[in-house]
């Protein structure tokens, strides 16, 4: 158990809909990362937050947005869903220490299926 | 630009054989970190090892060993006496500050 909690574990929805994925980081971790894993694209970095602020952005679509709340949990919002958005979405957390980036600890993922 | 290449898409070996997973990285930074993660069929990503760019010592943990060579920008992973439970997708990753790049992974099948 990594200590990172993601909900829901599975989600099935229709094209055009909107969903929210939730992540609670490990206790004490200030950084939260979101990754998308689809069959042909591997692990794609979406976005990172540190203590409530956006710190890095990857290949995140405009239809997707995220935020990190004061209690450090994070939500990833996916809207106007398309079939190609079907994937496993991972959240990871990390301690952000000065000059010593640590490893990421991943949640179990949220599997999104868009029909 | 940073890049991680895992050229082996899929490998199959018979149980008890040794197997090496290759990882080649590209970075212009002098300070960076390398990682290996395991993703078993259940789907979660499990951290295996972290190595910083200043420490080229090889590491051994049980049946797992890692060979880091800056001269060839490689961070290879060897499983000795493989077991069926080692079947998984293995990812190599490169981190500098807040940017973490994963390779596309190597799917390892250990055949009984």
């Amino acid at each position: 158990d990594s200590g990172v909690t993601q909900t829901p574990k599975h989600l099935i929805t229709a094209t055009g809909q909107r969903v929210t994925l939730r992540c609670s980081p490990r206790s004490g971790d200030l950084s939260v990362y979101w990754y998308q894993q689809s069959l042909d694209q591997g692990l794609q970095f979406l976005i990172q937050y540190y203590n409530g602020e956006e710190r890095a952005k990857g290949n995140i679509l405009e239809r997707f947005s995220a935020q990190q709340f004061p209690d450090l949990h994070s939500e990833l919002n996916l809207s106007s869903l398309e079939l190609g958005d079907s994937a496993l979405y991972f959240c990871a957390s990390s301690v952000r220490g000065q000059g010593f980036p640590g490893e990421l600890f991943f949640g179990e993922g949220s599997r999104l299926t868009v029909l | 630009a940073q890049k991680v290449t895992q050229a082996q898409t899929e490998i199959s070996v018979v149980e008890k054989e040794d197997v090496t997973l290759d990882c080649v990285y590209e970075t212009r930074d002098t300070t960076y970190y390398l990682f290996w993660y395991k993703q078993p069929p259940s789907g979660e990503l499990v951290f295996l090892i972290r190595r910083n760019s200043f420490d080229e010592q090889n590491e051994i943990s049980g049946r797992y060993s890692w060979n880091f060579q800056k001269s060839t920008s490689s961070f290879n992973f060897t499983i000795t006496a493989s077991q069926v439970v080692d079947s998984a997708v293995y990812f190599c990753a490169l981190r500098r500050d807040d940017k973490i790049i994963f390779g596309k992974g190597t799917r390892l099948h250990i055949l009984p």
Side-chain angles (χ1 to χ4, degrees):
Chain A
D1 183 1
S2 68
V4 178
T5 304
Q6 286 188 251
T7 57
K9 284 189 169 44
H10 301 275
L11 192 54
I12 301 175
T13 189
T15 55
Q17 295 298 305
R18 173 190 169 96
V19 299
T20 296
L21 309 180
R22 182 188 168 102
C23 169
S24 293
R26 291 188 323 158
S27 176
D29 285 357
L30 301 179
S31 277
V32 168
Y33 299 74
W34 286 98
Y35 283 84
Q36 179 193 56
Q37 185 180 31
S38 50
L39 281 175
D40 56 346
Q41 292 294 320
L43 272 165
Q44 296 290 315
F45 169 64
L46 296 178
I47 198 164
Q48 184 231 343
Y49 283 85
Y50 172 71
N51 204 20
E53 293 187 5
E54 182 185 305
R55 294 304 295 255
K57 221 169 185 177
N59 301 321
I60 188 166
L61 299 171
E62 284 190 12
R63 300 183 286 109
F64 296 179
S65 65
Q67 54 183 327
Q68 186 180 27
F69 295 86
D71 67 353
L72 300 178
H73 91 271
S74 178
E75 293 181 356
L76 178 66
N77 300 298
L78 315 174
S79 61
S80 303
L81 286 168
E82 302 175 359
L83 295 177
D85 297 328
S86 295
L88 190 52
Y89 291 85
F90 282 105
C91 168
S93 73
S94 172
V95 172
R96 188 175 183 270
Q98 188 130 15
F100 193 75
E103 57 271 22
L104 299 186
F105 291 90
F106 284 83
E108 294 184 348
S110 293
R111 183 169 296 283
L112 173 66
T113 302
V114 182
L115 301 176
Chain B
Q2 297 187 121
K3 187 178 177 183
V4 177
T5 302
Q6 294 180 256
Q8 304 150 308
T9 305
E10 202 157 344
I11 301 174
S12 294
V13 300
V14 177
E15 198 174 18
K16 296 184 185 175
E17 286 185 356
D18 299 347
V19 58
T20 295
L21 310 182
D22 298 332
C23 173
V24 174
Y25 62 93
E26 293 178 27
T27 182
R28 294 179 183 173
D29 300 315
T30 54
T31 301
Y32 53 88
Y33 297 81
L34 297 163
F35 305 86
W36 276 94
Y37 282 84
K38 173 182 180 180
Q39 187 176 36
S42 51
E44 74 272 23
L45 280 156
V46 179
F47 165 74
L48 295 178
I49 190 171
R50 176 187 66 229
R51 180 57 95 223
N52 74 53
S53 53
F54 297 109
D55 182 2
E56 287 194 70
Q57 267 194 323
N58 291 330
E59 182 154 340
I60 298 174
S61 176
R63 296 183 298 106
Y64 294 173
S65 62
W66 291 269
N67 183 355
F68 175 33
Q69 291 194 338
K70 285 180 75 171
S71 60
T72 55
S73 296
S74 66
F75 186 41
N76 297 336
F77 173 29
T78 297
I79 301 175
T80 304
S82 60
Q83 299 176 2
V84 172
V85 293
D86 296 326
S87 296
V89 180
Y90 291 86
F91 292 95
C92 180
L94 169 66
R95 177 171 187 167
R96 171 185 172 269
D97 294 334
D98 292 326
K99 296 181 182 178
I100 302 164
I101 306 296
F102 283 81
K104 289 192 178 293
T106 297
R107 185 175 297 277
L108 177 64
H109 300 278
I110 308 298
L111 308 172

